[in-house]
Amino acid sequence: MAVLGSREVGEMLAVATGCLEAKASQIDALNVFPIPDGDTGTNMLLTMRSALRALRALPATRAAAEPGFEAAAEAVARGALLGARGNSGVILSQFLVGMAQELRGAREIGCAELGRAFGRGSALAYQAVSEPVEGTMLTVMREASEAVRSLEADGDLATFLEVALRAAGEALASTPELLPELREAGVVDAGGQGLYTLLEGASLYARGQREAVAEDSLHLIPARLSTASPAGGLAGADAGGSPFTSYGYCLEFILDHGTG
């Protein structure tokens, strides 16, 4: 697959969201930073579902049986932004907003356009955080974006996503080296794992996978810990929820400046 149109974008996002749904509870169990409230996987999933609903609500154009690519990208970004849940959902929405900004005017996208969109999305996600912290999903976004920057413009989309996925996995495994909270708990960053899972779904789609993906076919990245670390593996990964807290919540709001 060399290029993506609006139909393929919708299909790819659906497969990626299905992958996230299959792993949401396990990603929740990794959530120890910035607050151990055990909801990162759920928040990212709700954010992606909102993006998909916005895309599916778009009317087809008069000239085609599907909406134009620019309209589709804008719908995904706005849907994610308005439906964002938690810190991880907001950061994910900004990544999608940045991609949509970079892709304005495009009728279809190949590797060159997608590489620039990844870079813009990562930059906007960093800008959206008042004090960006390395060892989080921001690091995973940036490493994946940098890995695909130099790929051939006419390359294959499946290869592009495999490169991004590999870089994301390596960055994710190293997150405990950057954040003491992760190292002490023996886990990788939950938001980074969520992003990795979305990229894994996109990669599966590019290789021909269209159906729902079984949970055991997806990967949780183990923390890469030094031998001196007291932690030992994915703490709480099989608990179906966070083992670090019994209660917690966070609050987001959207401020619309208006035009008046």
Side-chain angles (χ1 to χ4, degrees):
M1 182 183 296
V3 296
L4 288 170
S6 59
R7 177 178 60 81
E8 290 83 6
V9 166
E11 292 174 350
M12 184 169 68
L13 287 178
V15 172
T17 301
C19 288
L20 185 61
E21 183 171 9
K23 286 294 185 186
S25 63
Q26 293 186 56
I27 295 170
D28 285 343
L30 301 175
N31 181 196
V32 299
F33 182 87
I35 300 171
D37 46 8
D39 61 1
T40 293
T42 299
N43 285 337
M44 295 181 74
L45 176 59
L46 292 173
T47 301
M48 289 303 301
R49 284 178 176 172
S50 180
L52 278 174
R53 282 196 302 271
L55 177 59
R56 288 165 177 167
L58 280 182
T61 64
R62 292 183 178 179
E66 59 190 60
F69 181 83
E70 184 172 350
E74 293 286 350
V76 167
R78 182 166 178 78
L81 178 62
L82 295 180
R85 302 288 195 277
N87 294 328
S88 57
V90 171
I91 292 172
L92 176 59
S93 75
Q94 291 304 295
F95 182 68
L96 295 172
V97 167
M99 291 188 69
Q101 290 175 351
E102 183 64 37
L103 296 172
R104 281 180 183 148
R107 295 186 176 181
E108 58 185 18
I109 57 173
C111 291
E113 294 82 4
L114 197 57
R116 291 194 297 270
F118 267 48
R120 175 60 179 158
S122 176
L124 195 64
Y126 267 87
Q127 293 170 19
V129 179
S130 58
E131 296 182 4
V133 175
E134 297 300 335
T136 64
M137 64 188 297
L138 290 172
T139 303
V140 179
M141 280 181 185
R142 178 174 51 76
E143 294 285 349
S145 301
E146 291 175 354
V148 298
R149 184 182 301 166
S150 61
L151 293 181
E152 295 294 330
D154 58 352
D156 180 73
L157 182 64
T159 300
F160 177 99
L161 289 169
E162 285 173 6
V163 170
L165 183 65
R166 188 182 312 117
E170 292 173 356
L172 179 58
S174 297
T175 54
E177 300 171 9
L178 302 174
L179 269 181
E181 293 89 342
L182 302 178
R183 185 167 58 253
E184 291 169 8
V187 297
V188 294
D189 179 68
Q193 178 68 63
L195 182 66
Y196 175 88
T197 303
L198 287 169
L199 286 172
E200 186 177 12
S203 181
L204 287 170
Y205 173 82
R207 298 201 306 269
Q209 173 73 54
R210 300 294 188 272
E211 298 79 21
V213 181
E215 182 176 343
D216 59 6
S217 70
L218 301 171
H219 304 290
L220 277 175
I221 300 296
R224 188 159 68 206
L225 301 167
S226 68
T227 55
S229 171
L234 295 171
D238 59 351
S242 173
F244 305 103
T245 185
S246 59
Y247 177 76
Y249 67 92
C250 54
L251 175 68
E252 292 82 35
F253 67 92
I254 295 174
L255 177 63
D256 189 345
H257 293 281
T259 56

